Amino acid sequence: MRVVIAEDSVLLREGLIRLLERAGFTVQAAVGTAEDLLVELEREQPDVVVTDVRMPPSHTDEGLRAALVIRRQWPDMGVLVLSQYVEERYATDLLAGETSGVGYLLKDRVADVADFLDGLRRVASGGTVLDPEVVSQLLVRRRSDPLDRLTPRELDVLKAMAEGRSNAGVAAALTVSESAVAKHINNIFAKLDLRHADSDHRRVLAVLRFLGERA
């Protein structure tokens, strides 16, 4: 699996290179600016990108803006954004459009190597991965109708879905059966007024509703 890294911290950038190469990824390029990132993507066409939010020259949102360009210009390329803190605006900007192949994780999550690598592989394969802390903060901020219709357990299930977990992953996290998870998900679809359609499509719509984005 081919990856390009954009991170202005030399120590973290070198650490990511070593970590990913040991895990079997092919690191095609590792750069320190968003401008260099877009140049390398045009040349290398990787499967997935790992980019910091804040990079030179202003250290504000260069990486996030580059991620949005990637989503428009190379929609099949996975993008995993790393952030030092929970920055809700950046998370919602990133998730405002198509959510397949996109992730938003806190940098602390890199320390949990297994979870980080699993999340990167899911993004590269077209999945959606959100840091649990991001999900929690968005839930507190966005608690409003129609989410108020959901029971506490249904909210737990939806939160786990927003973190990118499969039905089996939700079941393991909540210590319930997969059949119970499936029942909760069907209840969530009904309460959020998501009509019968492709299950994966409704799943994405439910997560977007949870995050306060468009239905």
Side-chain angles (χ1 to χ4, degrees):
M1 194 171 290
R2 300 163 301 156
V3 59
V4 168
I5 299 168
E7 167 59 57
D8 66 302
S9 167
V10 175
L11 287 177
L12 182 53
R13 186 166 70 237
E14 291 300 316
L16 284 170
I17 292 171
R18 288 173 171 76
L19 172 64
L20 295 180
E21 287 180 340
R22 283 200 304 268
F25 288 84
T26 298
V27 179
Q28 294 176 297
V31 299
T33 70
E35 182 179 357
D36 288 342
L37 170 62
L38 296 177
V39 171
E40 291 297 336
L41 295 186
E42 186 71 49
R43 178 186 301 120
E44 301 292 350
Q45 297 289 305
D47 300 303
V48 63
V49 177
V50 178
T51 181
D52 189 8
V53 167
R54 298 175 182 270
M55 286 195 292
S58 72
H59 294 279
T60 54
D61 62 352
E62 284 86 352
L64 187 280
R65 286 189 281 114
L68 297 177
V69 170
I70 295 166
R71 300 299 292 157
R72 292 193 302 270
Q73 192 163 335
W74 299 286
D76 295 330
M77 191 179 295
V79 181
L80 178 59
V81 172
L82 299 179
S83 180
Q84 188 69 43
Y85 311 104
V86 177
E87 299 178 271
E88 296 174 8
R89 178 173 62 85
Y90 295 157
T92 53
D93 283 350
L94 190 64
L95 295 162
E98 174 60 51
T99 59
S100 61
V102 65
Y104 187 102
L105 293 178
L106 296 183
K107 287 186 175 181
D108 287 348
R109 199 66 54 188
V110 179
D112 190 332
V113 173
D115 279 356
F116 172 68
L117 293 175
D118 177 65
L120 183 58
R121 290 188 181 101
R122 278 190 281 158
V123 169
S125 299
T128 304
V129 175
L130 296 178
D131 195 282
E133 184 63 25
V134 175
V135 173
S136 295
Q137 291 205 23
L138 289 175
L139 173 61
V140 170
R141 183 168 61 86
R142 297 289 190 175
R143 182 66 66 84
S144 62
D145 185 44
L147 292 177
D148 287 340
R149 304 173 191 169
L150 303 186
T151 66
R153 177 56 82 183
E154 288 163 355
L155 281 170
D156 288 341
V157 170
L158 186 50
K159 176 182 174 182
M161 288 166 57
E163 291 168 6
R165 299 180 189 271
S166 64
N167 282 18
V170 174
L174 301 181
T175 320
V176 297
S177 67
E178 286 191 51
S179 61
V181 170
K183 180 178 179 180
H184 287 311
I185 290 174
N186 284 332
N187 288 341
I188 290 167
F189 290 160
K191 291 180 179 181
L192 297 185
D193 299 320
L194 299 175
R195 305 303 179 188
H196 180 70
D198 178 78
S199 294
D200 290 338
H201 181 56
R202 286 200 294 175
R203 194 181 185 95
V204 170
L205 290 176
V207 168
L208 288 173
R209 188 75 59 84
F210 173 74
L211 296 174
E213 295 300 314
R214 63 179 177 81

